[in-house]
């Protein structure tokens, strides 16, 4: 709306000088001339109004949604409560990805998708319901105005390809032909300045996942792959450290959650057992009283 409010109306309306008015509208006192003038003015006003509408619509479509709107769209699509251990991190990721998604230089690519899917699966590991986990994923991606099926399909395709590679073949994609090789070449060209490319932590995790599946964990392989893709290796190293720390914290948090759940379960069982014991004692006492009364 800000773009519409600041839109200069003069830019959409060409000034009509008095001489143009005189040349356009024939000066006559006859009824026919008056009608002619009304028709010409009506057409001109309609054209001006049309140009204003087009300009306003174009300005509005260029305005990205706010973070609040993206979060609202996610919550509207998935209305079930999410345990805080998952929801806290999930909301933080959604905010980060919103900022990435609506950068001017952003362009979707499969390595980014693989990175996000990897992070998501690590985060949601152990979630109580696989069906709910998939619904949360779809709601999350849809909230960003992207295609969850495309994310899954591209991630799967890259994983299958990486499993057939090794350290050498992985970094030599530019010399080979194939669908995945073509995708990596496109990323390399865009990252090299021939198109839109926006590096992110999800992209770094995507590279890490490729190396992991190709059984090529050596730092030298990562360095060569970054060079081939025109990516700054220092940024990748930094973001992979952040990713590893996140995984460590998630593991610790889930262990604490498991201990809490087990402890609460044990307490419930003890309460049930205690209540059952008291009930049995009450029944025994009542039975005894009845027996004495009958005697």
């Amino acid at each position: 709306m800000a773009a519409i409010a600041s839109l200069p109306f003069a830019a959409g309306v060409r000034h009509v000088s008095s001489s143009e008015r005189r040349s356009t509208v024939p000066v006559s006192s006859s009824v026919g001339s008056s009608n002619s003038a009304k028709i010409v003015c009506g057409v001109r006003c309609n054209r001006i109004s049309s140009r204003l509408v087009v300009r306003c619509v174009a300005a509005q479509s260029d305005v990205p949604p706010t973070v609040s709107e993206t979060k609202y769209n996610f919550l509207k699509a998935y209305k079930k409560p999410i345990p805080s251990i998952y929801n806290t991190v999930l909301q933080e990721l959604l905010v980060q990805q919103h900022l990435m998604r609506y950068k001017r230089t952003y362009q979707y690519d499969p390595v980014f998708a693989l990175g996000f899917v990897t992070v998501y699966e690590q985060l949601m590991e152990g979630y109580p319901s696989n069906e709910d986990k998939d619904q949360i994923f779809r709601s999350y991606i849809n909230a960003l105005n992207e295609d969850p099926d495309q994310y899954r399909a591209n991630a799967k395709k890259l994983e299958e390809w990486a499993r057939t590679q090794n350290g050498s073949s992985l970094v030599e994609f530019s010399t080979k032909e194939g669908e995945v090789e073509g995708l990596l070449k496109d990323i390399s060209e865009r990252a090299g300045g021939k198109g839109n490319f926006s590096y992110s932590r999800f992209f770094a995790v995507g590279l890490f996942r490729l190396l992991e599946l190709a059984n090529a964990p050596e730092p030298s392989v990562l360095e060569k792959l970054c060079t081939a893709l025109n990516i700054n290796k220092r940024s990748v190293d930094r973001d992979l450290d952040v990713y590893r720390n996140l995984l460590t914290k998630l593991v610790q948090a889930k262990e604490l959650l498991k201990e809490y759940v087990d402890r609460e379960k044990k307490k419930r069982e003890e309460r049930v057992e205690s209540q059952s014991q008291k009930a049995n004692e009450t029944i025994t006492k009542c039975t005894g009283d009845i027996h004495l009364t009958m005697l």
Side-chain angles (χ1 to χ4, degrees):
M1 293 300 293
I4 297 174
S6 63
L7 182 67
F9 283 93
V13 181
R14 185 172 62 87
H15 178 67
V16 182
S17 65
S18 58
S19 59
E20 286 178 309
R21 293 193 191 97
R22 286 195 294 272
S23 62
T24 304
V25 182
V27 179
S28 173
S29 59
S30 65
V31 176
S33 296
S34 177
N35 290 338
S36 175
K38 290 179 180 178
I39 293 171
V40 172
C41 287
V43 171
R44 175 163 298 192
C45 289
N46 286 338
R47 288 177 178 172
I48 291 171
S49 298
S50 298
R51 287 200 297 271
L52 282 173
V53 170
V54 171
R55 285 173 181 268
C56 287
V57 170
Q60 188 176 24
S61 64
D62 291 339
V63 179
T66 64
V67 172
S68 297
E69 288 171 336
T70 295
K71 294 180 76 171
Y72 171 76
N73 289 335
F74 171 67
L75 295 174
K76 183 173 67 173
Y78 189 81
K79 299 179 180 179
K80 296 180 182 179
I82 301 174
S84 60
I85 188 174
Y86 301 99
N87 192 45
T88 301
V89 181
L90 200 62
Q91 292 295 330
E92 290 179 2
L93 289 179
L94 184 60
V95 171
Q96 291 178 18
Q97 194 164 350
H98 170 95
L99 299 176
M100 300 172 198
R101 166 72 176 84
Y102 292 106
K103 273 187 177 180
R104 290 183 179 273
T105 56
Y106 174 79
Q107 181 173 325
Y108 170 89
D109 70 62
V111 176
F112 177 95
L114 174 61
F116 173 75
V117 170
T118 301
V119 171
Y120 182 82
E121 291 300 326
Q122 292 281 356
L123 167 64
M124 303 298 283
E125 184 180 10
Y127 199 78
S129 168
N130 288 329
E131 182 180 353
D132 286 345
K133 184 172 76 170
D134 184 61
Q135 289 178 0
I136 293 170
F137 178 87
R138 301 186 70 83
S139 300
Y140 181 106
I141 300 298
N142 283 328
L144 293 161
N145 292 316
E146 292 194 307
D147 184 357
D149 292 331
Q150 184 182 28
Y151 268 73
R152 288 290 192 190
N154 285 163
K156 182 179 179 181
K157 185 181 298 180
L158 285 178
E159 287 177 339
E160 291 174 349
W161 175 81
R163 288 188 180 97
T164 66
Q165 306 299 311
N166 55 45
S168 299
S169 63
L170 194 64
V171 300
E172 294 172 355
F173 65 85
S174 60
T175 64
K176 300 177 181 180
E177 297 297 327
E179 184 177 5
V180 174
E181 287 83 357
L183 293 172
L184 295 177
K185 290 175 188 178
D186 175 65
I187 292 172
S188 177
E189 290 178 359
R190 288 190 287 110
K194 295 182 180 180
N196 286 340
F197 179 79
S198 181
Y199 170 81
S200 69
R201 287 176 180 172
F202 291 132
F203 188 91
V205 175
L207 293 183
F208 176 78
R209 182 63 174 156
L210 290 177
L211 295 172
E212 185 179 46
L213 293 172
N215 196 25
E218 300 84 1
S220 59
V221 178
L222 175 60
E223 184 174 2
K224 291 177 182 178
L225 183 58
C226 288
T227 300
L229 289 169
N230 293 310
I231 303 297
N232 187 324
K233 184 177 180 293
R234 287 186 179 180
S235 297
V236 174
D237 287 336
R238 178 196 63 213
D239 290 334
L240 288 180
D241 285 340
V242 172
Y243 172 62
R244 293 186 187 102
N245 288 336
L246 172 63
L247 291 183
T248 300
K249 290 178 181 178
L250 279 174
V251 169
Q252 293 172 349
K254 288 177 181 178
E255 287 177 353
L256 290 174
L257 177 64
K258 185 177 183 301
E259 290 176 5
Y260 171 79
V261 171
D262 291 343
R263 187 165 59 249
E264 290 300 308
K265 182 179 178 181
K266 185 177 180 180
K267 287 181 180 179
R268 285 196 301 271
E269 291 174 350
E270 289 175 350
R271 282 197 298 268
V272 170
E273 185 178 352
S274 176
Q275 290 171 357
S276 177
Q277 185 176 355
K278 288 181 180 179
N280 289 334
E281 290 175 354
T282 302
I283 292 171
T284 301
K285 183 179 179 182
C286 290
T287 303
D289 291 343
I290 292 171
H291 179 69
L292 289 173
T293 302
M294 291 177 66
L295 292 175

